[in-house]
Amino acid sequence: MTETQTPHSGAQTVEGLGFNTRAVHAGQEPDPVTGAVVGGIIQSSTFAQDGIGQLRNGYEYGRGGNPTRDSLQAQLAAVEHGKHAFSFSSGLAAEDAVIRALLRPGGHIVMGNDVYGGSYRLINRVLGPWGVEHSTADMSSLESIEAAARPETALFWVETPSNPMMKITDIAALADLAHSRGAKLLVDNTFASPYLQNPLDLGADIVVHSTTKYIGGHSDVIGGAVVMRDDALAEKIGFVQFAVGAVSGPMDAFLTTRGLKTLGLRMDRHCSNAQQIAQWLDGHSGVERVLYPGLAHHPGHELAARQMRGFGGMISVQFTGTVARSGAEVARAVAESTQLFTLAESLGGIESLMNYPSEMTHASVKGTELAVPENLIRLSVGIEDVADLVADLDRALGSALR
């Protein structure tokens, strides 16, 4: 790829079609030679040229472009209602590229006070020494966000729902605030997925995903994505991706494409199961608090109902203590004794997972203002039969409270 070559960014869209149709068809054309309905995995590091500088369909070197990756990028752009999408080797690689494209030493980010621990580690410990500064805020409160902003704030960084405290941010209102200050709004849409929420439609400038999670959906691939509409922004991010090289490989792109085609079907089941489990937990005497936007008493319930099409498959739960055990000890006991909920990092797969964030996904923020309560566990509710999942939790919680 030359310095002047435009990166392949999946600009293809499927206008006027529904989500599931876009997910199945965007970027997916039958093979022109064999007619294969499922696109091939182009496992090639380089591409033949018909002459010096005469590229076939723009392909030169795998870091700059690959047909399998381009198919996924077209698919991602279509389901997020974007114009450009870039597929990365991980969600954190995608986040890193955005920051390096938009900020310079002295630049400032406002992000949530319960942001994913990996994002905080990247911004604080990797990019902080480079000169990128940050402040944290309660991203469910515009007043808190404004108080954290500075004249040099270039980027507002939000997860909604947030990980793991399940806070909901008014994307449209925050977009207005960011733009009034000459800044950009980035939304990490991993928890909601593009099936439930499209931040670009609400005014966000950039959407990022860990495609490892709901988009891939089968716990068998690592990846990330960045989606946007702005051409100049896409050129900057595309250049950073090409220059640094954190692209998804052909097999990873293929697996992610495979997963994305069934995202809508899976999310319907994730949402249905999570709603029923949240309601069951909400009435349990051993539970202190259930954090799930589908519950009417959740402080972000009405806002989530307006800007999302469903409430998602993620639930966080805080436990009360007993005479013999603290709430934190109950949480650990539950996390270590379920049979169907697997104790593991990550989320968004077809199987149910359980996580103890204080020592797992958010260990990097332990001891800081972003520390997760020790009596909290996070559930990634899968697509199993919900009665079996409730019975599993009932057994584990009953044992932990004895």
Side-chain angles (χ1 to χ4, degrees):
M1 183 176 188
T2 65
E3 290 292 325
T4 58
Q5 186 180 338
T6 302
H8 294 258
S9 62
Q12 177 182 340
T13 59
V14 185
E15 299 295 338
L17 299 176
F19 178 89
N20 290 305
T21 307
R22 290 176 182 235
V24 170
H25 290 284
Q28 312 303 307
E29 297 293 336
D31 182 87
V33 176
T34 67
V37 172
V38 177
I41 303 169
I42 309 302
Q43 196 71 47
S44 182
S45 63
T46 192
F47 298 86
Q49 300 183 27
D50 295 324
I52 297 174
Q54 297 178 24
L55 310 183
R56 297 184 187 180
N57 298 313
Y59 294 107
E60 178 182 24
Y61 184 64
R63 175 163 44 84
N66 173 281
T68 309
R69 189 165 81 242
D70 285 350
S71 293
L72 170 59
Q73 292 174 160
Q75 201 180 14
L76 290 165
V79 296
E80 271 294 8
H81 301 176
K83 184 178 180 182
H84 306 279
F86 297 93
S87 177
F88 285 80
S89 55
S90 72
L92 285 169
E95 294 180 357
D96 181 67
V98 171
I99 296 170
R100 293 185 187 279
L102 295 184
L103 278 80
R104 294 293 178 268
H108 181 252
I109 299 172
V110 174
M111 62 183 182
N113 59 8
D114 63 338
V115 72
Y116 165 54
S119 298
Y120 179 79
R121 181 176 56 235
L122 169 67
I123 293 169
N124 182 53
R125 298 181 60 185
V126 177
L127 296 172
W130 183 53
V132 172
E133 300 178 359
H134 71 275
S135 299
T136 60
D138 177 355
M139 301 302 279
S140 66
S141 165
L142 286 179
E143 292 76 13
S144 176
I145 296 169
E146 287 190 281
R150 302 177 187 172
E152 64 270 24
T153 299
L155 186 62
F156 290 84
W157 186 293
V158 64
E159 302 168 353
T160 181
S162 66
N163 180 10
M165 301 307 293
M166 305 303 292
K167 294 179 182 178
I168 305 297
T169 299
D170 188 330
I171 296 173
L174 184 52
D176 288 342
L177 172 62
H179 298 156
S180 72
R181 303 177 66 92
K184 303 290 187 186
L185 171 60
L186 176 148
V187 176
D188 183 337
N189 205 29
T190 299
F191 266 31
S193 87
Y195 181 66
L196 300 182
Q197 181 172 267
N198 296 117
L200 297 179
D201 290 345
L202 298 170
D205 300 287
I206 304 164
V207 172
V208 298
H209 284 278
S210 171
T211 55
T212 308
K213 311 305 193 296
Y214 284 111
I215 287 176
H218 293 78
S219 302
D220 57 7
V221 61
I222 300 292
V226 181
V227 187
M228 75 293 296
R229 292 175 176 170
D230 183 81
D231 295 342
L233 192 56
E235 185 174 357
K236 290 179 180 179
I237 293 172
F239 175 76
V240 171
Q241 184 187 48
F242 167 67
V244 177
V247 298
S248 57
M251 177 58 76
D252 290 341
F254 176 82
L255 289 172
T256 306
T257 285
R258 181 277 319 266
L260 182 48
K261 290 178 180 181
T262 61
L263 176 61
L265 299 176
R266 290 184 283 105
M267 289 306 298
D268 284 339
R269 183 60 172 255
H270 286 301
C271 291
S272 174
N273 280 359
Q275 184 73 41
Q276 294 178 69
I277 289 173
Q279 290 170 347
W280 178 81
L281 287 166
D282 199 40
H284 199 290
S285 60
V287 170
E288 176 184 300
R289 186 164 64 142
V290 180
L291 306 175
Y292 183 68
L295 296 176
H297 60 69
H298 186 285
H301 173 72
E302 292 185 4
L303 175 58
R306 290 199 304 271
Q307 69 183 21
M308 299 175 69
R309 303 180 192 94
F311 299 109
M314 301 300 301
I315 305 171
S316 289
V317 191
Q318 292 179 262
F319 295 97
T320 58
T322 68
V323 174
R325 283 177 166 169
S326 67
E329 290 172 327
V330 171
R332 295 180 72 108
V334 171
E336 293 177 341
S337 59
T338 52
Q339 297 174 5
L340 295 179
F341 280 87
T342 301
L343 180 63
E345 303 271 358
S346 199
L347 59 101
I350 56 174
E351 64 288 306
S352 292
L353 301 178
M354 183 171 291
N355 179 273
Y356 185 63
S358 179
E359 299 290 346
M360 296 173 69
T361 54
H362 290 67
S364 63
V365 297
K366 196 174 180 67
T368 74
E369 64 173 309
L370 281 74
V372 176
E374 293 184 354
N375 69 336
L376 181 144
I377 61 171
R378 190 190 72 188
L379 309 179
S380 174
V381 180
I383 66 170
E384 302 96 332
D385 290 311
V386 69
D388 295 329
L389 296 177
V390 170
D392 188 37
L393 291 171
D394 193 27
R395 284 191 298 269
L397 188 49
S399 175
L401 292 171
R402 281 200 292 270

Short mmCIF file of all heavy atoms in Angstrom, two decimals, residues 1 3-7 9 84 86 101 228-242:
data_model
loop_
_atom_site.label_atom_id
_atom_site.label_comp_id
_atom_site.label_asym_id
_atom_site.label_seq_id
_atom_site.Cartn_x
_atom_site.Cartn_y
_atom_site.Cartn_z
N MET A 1 0.85 -1.19 0.00
CA MET A 1 0.00 0.00 0.00
C MET A 1 0.88 1.23 0.00
O MET A 1 1.77 1.39 0.83
CB MET A 1 -0.89 0.00 1.24
CG MET A 1 -1.86 1.16 1.31
SD MET A 1 -2.92 0.98 2.75
CE MET A 1 -4.06 2.30 2.44
N GLU A 3 1.69 5.47 0.14
CA GLU A 3 1.27 6.55 1.04
C GLU A 3 -0.01 7.22 0.54
O GLU A 3 -0.76 7.79 1.32
CB GLU A 3 2.39 7.60 1.14
CG GLU A 3 3.60 7.13 1.90
CD GLU A 3 3.34 6.93 3.38
OE1 GLU A 3 2.55 7.69 3.94
OE2 GLU A 3 3.91 6.01 3.97
N THR A 4 -0.28 7.15 -0.74
CA THR A 4 -1.44 7.85 -1.29
C THR A 4 -2.63 6.93 -1.51
O THR A 4 -3.72 7.39 -1.83
CB THR A 4 -1.08 8.52 -2.64
OG1 THR A 4 -0.62 7.51 -3.54
CG2 THR A 4 0.01 9.56 -2.43
N GLN A 5 -2.43 5.62 -1.32
CA GLN A 5 -3.53 4.69 -1.57
C GLN A 5 -4.57 4.80 -0.47
O GLN A 5 -4.26 4.88 0.71
CB GLN A 5 -3.00 3.25 -1.62
CG GLN A 5 -4.07 2.24 -2.03
CD GLN A 5 -3.51 0.84 -2.08
OE1 GLN A 5 -2.31 0.67 -2.22
NE2 GLN A 5 -4.37 -0.14 -1.95
N THR A 6 -5.85 4.83 -0.85
CA THR A 6 -6.94 4.89 0.12
C THR A 6 -7.16 3.52 0.73
O THR A 6 -7.32 2.53 0.02
CB THR A 6 -8.23 5.37 -0.55
OG1 THR A 6 -8.00 6.64 -1.13
CG2 THR A 6 -9.36 5.47 0.47
N PRO A 7 -7.20 3.43 2.08
CA PRO A 7 -7.46 2.12 2.70
C PRO A 7 -8.84 1.60 2.35
O PRO A 7 -9.79 2.37 2.19
CB PRO A 7 -7.36 2.43 4.21
CG PRO A 7 -6.66 3.75 4.32
CD PRO A 7 -6.99 4.49 3.06
N SER A 9 -12.17 0.40 3.42
CA SER A 9 -12.84 0.61 4.70
C SER A 9 -14.29 0.18 4.69
O SER A 9 -15.07 0.60 5.52
CB SER A 9 -12.76 2.09 5.09
OG SER A 9 -13.41 2.91 4.13
N HIS A 84 -18.05 4.18 6.75
CA HIS A 84 -16.73 3.54 6.77
C HIS A 84 -16.62 2.64 8.00
O HIS A 84 -17.08 3.01 9.08
CB HIS A 84 -15.60 4.57 6.83
CG HIS A 84 -15.67 5.61 5.76
ND1 HIS A 84 -15.21 5.40 4.48
CD2 HIS A 84 -16.15 6.88 5.79
CE1 HIS A 84 -15.40 6.50 3.76
NE2 HIS A 84 -15.97 7.41 4.53
N PHE A 86 -13.63 -0.15 9.95
CA PHE A 86 -12.31 -0.77 9.95
C PHE A 86 -12.30 -1.91 10.96
O PHE A 86 -12.75 -1.75 12.10
CB PHE A 86 -11.23 0.25 10.33
CG PHE A 86 -11.11 1.38 9.34
CD1 PHE A 86 -11.82 2.56 9.52
CD2 PHE A 86 -10.32 1.25 8.21
CE1 PHE A 86 -11.74 3.60 8.61
CE2 PHE A 86 -10.23 2.29 7.28
CZ PHE A 86 -10.94 3.46 7.48
N ALA A 101 -5.22 8.68 16.21
CA ALA A 101 -5.63 9.47 15.05
C ALA A 101 -6.15 10.84 15.45
O ALA A 101 -5.98 11.81 14.70
CB ALA A 101 -6.73 8.72 14.28
N MET A 228 -17.64 4.89 11.35
CA MET A 228 -17.94 6.31 11.33
C MET A 228 -18.54 6.69 9.98
O MET A 228 -18.56 5.88 9.04
CB MET A 228 -16.70 7.16 11.62
CG MET A 228 -15.69 7.28 10.51
SD MET A 228 -14.83 5.75 10.09
CE MET A 228 -13.96 5.44 11.62
N ARG A 229 -19.00 7.93 9.86
CA ARG A 229 -19.53 8.44 8.59
C ARG A 229 -18.60 9.46 7.94
O ARG A 229 -18.61 9.62 6.73
CB ARG A 229 -20.90 9.08 8.84
CG ARG A 229 -21.99 8.09 9.23
CD ARG A 229 -23.29 8.77 9.59
NE ARG A 229 -24.35 7.81 9.88
CZ ARG A 229 -25.52 8.11 10.40
NH1 ARG A 229 -25.81 9.38 10.71
NH2 ARG A 229 -26.41 7.17 10.64
N ASP A 230 -17.83 10.17 8.73
CA ASP A 230 -17.03 11.28 8.25
C ASP A 230 -15.83 10.79 7.43
O ASP A 230 -15.04 9.96 7.89
CB ASP A 230 -16.54 12.11 9.44
CG ASP A 230 -15.76 13.33 9.02
OD1 ASP A 230 -16.39 14.35 8.66
OD2 ASP A 230 -14.51 13.26 9.01
N ASP A 231 -15.70 11.30 6.21
CA ASP A 231 -14.63 10.85 5.31
C ASP A 231 -13.24 11.21 5.84
O ASP A 231 -12.32 10.39 5.78
CB ASP A 231 -14.81 11.48 3.92
CG ASP A 231 -16.07 11.01 3.22
OD1 ASP A 231 -16.62 9.96 3.61
OD2 ASP A 231 -16.51 11.70 2.27
N ALA A 232 -13.08 12.43 6.35
CA ALA A 232 -11.77 12.86 6.83
C ALA A 232 -11.35 12.05 8.05
O ALA A 232 -10.18 11.67 8.18
CB ALA A 232 -11.80 14.35 7.16
N LEU A 233 -12.29 11.77 8.92
CA LEU A 233 -12.00 10.97 10.09
C LEU A 233 -11.61 9.55 9.69
O LEU A 233 -10.67 8.96 10.23
CB LEU A 233 -13.23 10.95 10.99
CG LEU A 233 -13.11 10.40 12.40
CD1 LEU A 233 -12.03 11.14 13.17
CD2 LEU A 233 -14.45 10.51 13.12
N ALA A 234 -12.31 9.01 8.70
CA ALA A 234 -11.99 7.66 8.22
C ALA A 234 -10.60 7.61 7.62
O ALA A 234 -9.87 6.63 7.81
CB ALA A 234 -13.03 7.22 7.18
N GLU A 235 -10.22 8.65 6.91
CA GLU A 235 -8.88 8.67 6.32
C GLU A 235 -7.81 8.65 7.40
O GLU A 235 -6.81 7.94 7.28
CB GLU A 235 -8.72 9.92 5.44
CG GLU A 235 -7.41 9.95 4.68
CD GLU A 235 -7.32 11.11 3.71
OE1 GLU A 235 -8.30 11.87 3.57
OE2 GLU A 235 -6.25 11.25 3.07
N LYS A 236 -8.03 9.40 8.48
CA LYS A 236 -7.05 9.44 9.57
C LYS A 236 -6.93 8.08 10.26
O LYS A 236 -5.84 7.57 10.49
CB LYS A 236 -7.45 10.49 10.60
CG LYS A 236 -7.31 11.93 10.13
CD LYS A 236 -7.76 12.89 11.22
CE LYS A 236 -7.63 14.34 10.77
NZ LYS A 236 -8.09 15.28 11.83
N ILE A 237 -8.07 7.48 10.59
CA ILE A 237 -8.05 6.21 11.30
C ILE A 237 -7.53 5.10 10.40
O ILE A 237 -6.76 4.23 10.82
CB ILE A 237 -9.45 5.88 11.83
CG1 ILE A 237 -9.82 6.89 12.92
CG2 ILE A 237 -9.52 4.46 12.37
CD1 ILE A 237 -11.24 6.81 13.40
N GLY A 238 -7.92 5.13 9.12
CA GLY A 238 -7.41 4.14 8.18
C GLY A 238 -5.91 4.22 8.02
O GLY A 238 -5.23 3.18 7.91
N PHE A 239 -5.37 5.43 8.02
CA PHE A 239 -3.92 5.58 7.88
C PHE A 239 -3.20 5.02 9.11
O PHE A 239 -2.20 4.31 8.98
CB PHE A 239 -3.52 7.04 7.68
CG PHE A 239 -2.03 7.23 7.66
CD1 PHE A 239 -1.29 6.87 6.54
CD2 PHE A 239 -1.36 7.70 8.78
CE1 PHE A 239 0.10 7.00 6.54
CE2 PHE A 239 0.03 7.83 8.78
CZ PHE A 239 0.75 7.48 7.65
N VAL A 240 -3.74 5.32 10.31
CA VAL A 240 -3.12 4.78 11.51
C VAL A 240 -3.16 3.25 11.51
O VAL A 240 -2.17 2.59 11.83
CB VAL A 240 -3.81 5.33 12.78
CG1 VAL A 240 -3.32 4.60 14.03
CG2 VAL A 240 -3.55 6.82 12.93
N GLN A 241 -4.28 2.69 11.10
CA GLN A 241 -4.36 1.24 11.05
C GLN A 241 -3.32 0.66 10.10
O GLN A 241 -2.63 -0.30 10.42
CB GLN A 241 -5.76 0.77 10.63
CG GLN A 241 -5.88 -0.75 10.66
CD GLN A 241 -7.18 -1.26 10.09
OE1 GLN A 241 -7.60 -0.84 9.02
NE2 GLN A 241 -7.83 -2.17 10.81
N PHE A 242 -3.20 1.27 8.92
CA PHE A 242 -2.22 0.78 7.94
C PHE A 242 -0.80 0.97 8.44
O PHE A 242 0.05 0.07 8.32
CB PHE A 242 -2.42 1.53 6.62
CG PHE A 242 -1.29 1.33 5.66
CD1 PHE A 242 -1.04 0.09 5.10
CD2 PHE A 242 -0.45 2.38 5.32
CE1 PHE A 242 0.01 -0.11 4.21
CE2 PHE A 242 0.61 2.20 4.44
CZ PHE A 242 0.84 0.95 3.88
#
